[in-house]
């Protein structure tokens, strides 16, 4: 039964430590710019990150029917056994 007291104490220490680290990160500006890092990964220069003036509508790719792969053809054309 005494192990529960140790586990509760350890969990409180870990929880308060995590809360303290979170509060420290808030005070030191770790969450001030959430989108800047994501944009810096994608672009070398922030000037390049500006969108085009009028990109225009995107046309969907045409759907071209092609031959069915043999594996799918075998599934589609397999005879059905009605005796089951």
């Amino acid at each position: 039964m005494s192990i529960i007291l140790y586990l509760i104490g350890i969990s409180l220490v870990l929880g308060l430590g995590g809360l303290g680290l979170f509060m420290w990160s808030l005070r030191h500006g770790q969450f001030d710019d959430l989108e800047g890092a994501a944009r810096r990964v994608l672009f070398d220069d922030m000037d390049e990150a500006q969108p085009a003036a009028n990109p225009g509508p995107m046309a969907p790719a045409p759907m071209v029917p092609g031959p069915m792969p043999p594996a799918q053809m075998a599934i589609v054309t397999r005879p059905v056994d009605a005796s089951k």
Side-chain angles (χ1 to χ4, degrees), residues 35-54:
E35 293 183 14
R39 291 177 192 230
R40 283 191 297 272
V41 169
L42 297 175
F43 301 104
D44 291 334
D45 191 16
M46 289 302 286
D47 294 336
E48 296 174 12
Q50 301 300 326
N54 187 7

